[in-house]
C-alpha cells in the first residue's frame, strides 16, 4: 500500500511508541517524492517529530510478521491494507543514519491506526545502516 497516496495523514497509535507514552496522535507527511521518507509529527506537541522510512528499498528481504490480534486491532484484513515504517536515527547526520528494524511501526493508513511492533525472537538490529539497495 502506498502511504503517500493517502489524503489524510493523521495516525492514531493503538498503543504508544516506546518512550513516548503521552503521544498517540501523529500527522504523517512525505519528505520526498518517492514516498520513502516521512516525518511523523505529534499533534499534541508539534516540536516532537520522528523521521520514518519504508525499509524495503534498503532491506528488500525484511519481512516483519505481526500476530493476528495486532492485525485485527489495526483493522488489517488483507496484507495490502498494512504498511511498515522504520524509525530513522539521524543523530550522526545523513551519512551515518540508521533505521530501527527490531521495532517497526505497523500501520493501516486507510483506518489511520498504527502500533509499534517489537519483533521478539528475530535477529533484527536497532541501528541498521541506511544504505539503499536497488
Amino acid at each position: 500500500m502506498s502511504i503517500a497516496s493517502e489524503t489524510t495523514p493523521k495516525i492514531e497509535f493503538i498503543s504508544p511508541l516506546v518512550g513516548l507514552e503521552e503521544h498517540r496522535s501523529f500527522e504523517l507527511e512525505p519528505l520526498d517524492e518517492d514516498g520513502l521518507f516521512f516525518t511523523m509529527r505529534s499533534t499534541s506537541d508539534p516540536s516532537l517529530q520522528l523521521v520514518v522510512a519504508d525499509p524495503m528499498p534498503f532491506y528488500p528481504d525484511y519481512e516483519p510478521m505481526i500476530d493476528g490480534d495486532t492485525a485485527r486491532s489495526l483493522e488489517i484484513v488483507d496484507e495490502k491494507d498494512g504498511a511498515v515504517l522504520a524509525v530513522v536515527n539521524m543523530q550522526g547526520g545523513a551519512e551515518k543514519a540508521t533505521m530501527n528494524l527490531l521495532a517497526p511501526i505497523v500501520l493501516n493508513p486507510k483506518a489511520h491506526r498504527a502500533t509499534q511492533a517489537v519483533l521478539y525472537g528475530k535477529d533484527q538490529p536497532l541501528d541498521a545502516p541506511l544504505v539503499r539497495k536497488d
Side-chain angles (χ1 to χ4, degrees):
M1 156 163 281
S2 173
I3 300 167
S5 68
E6 295 302 314
T7 56
T8 306
K10 291 187 190 261
I11 300 295
E12 293 290 329
F13 278 80
I14 60 171
S15 56
L17 290 161
V18 175
L20 298 173
E21 288 76 16
E22 63 278 5
H23 303 280
R24 288 188 177 241
S25 181
F26 288 82
E27 291 181 342
L28 195 63
E29 298 177 30
L31 287 176
D32 65 340
E33 291 181 13
D34 296 329
L36 295 179
F37 292 93
F38 300 84
T39 183
M40 203 169 68
R41 182 187 322 260
S42 170
T43 59
S44 61
D45 180 1
S47 68
L48 174 62
Q49 296 182 69
L50 299 171
V51 175
V52 294
D54 177 353
M56 300 314 285
F58 304 95
Y59 293 91
D61 297 331
Y62 182 63
E63 294 182 6
M65 300 296 289
I66 62 167
D67 61 74
D69 289 339
T70 300
R72 281 186 290 283
S73 66
L74 293 174
E75 301 174 15
I76 295 174
V77 177
D78 188 286
E79 189 175 300
K80 69 179 186 324
D81 294 337
V84 174
L85 295 173
V87 176
V88 176
N89 180 344
M90 301 284 288
Q91 284 183 323
E95 306 82 36
K96 295 182 181 181
T98 62
M99 64 176 26
N100 179 346
L101 296 179
L102 181 62
I105 295 171
V106 180
L107 64 144
N108 179 340
K110 288 182 182 177
H112 308 285
R113 296 172 67 86
T115 192
Q116 187 172 31
V118 178
L119 305 177
Y120 294 106
K122 300 287 183 183
D123 189 22
Q124 297 292 347
L126 282 168
D127 56 355
L130 195 61
V131 178
R132 193 158 180 182
K133 298 178 181 178
D134 20 309

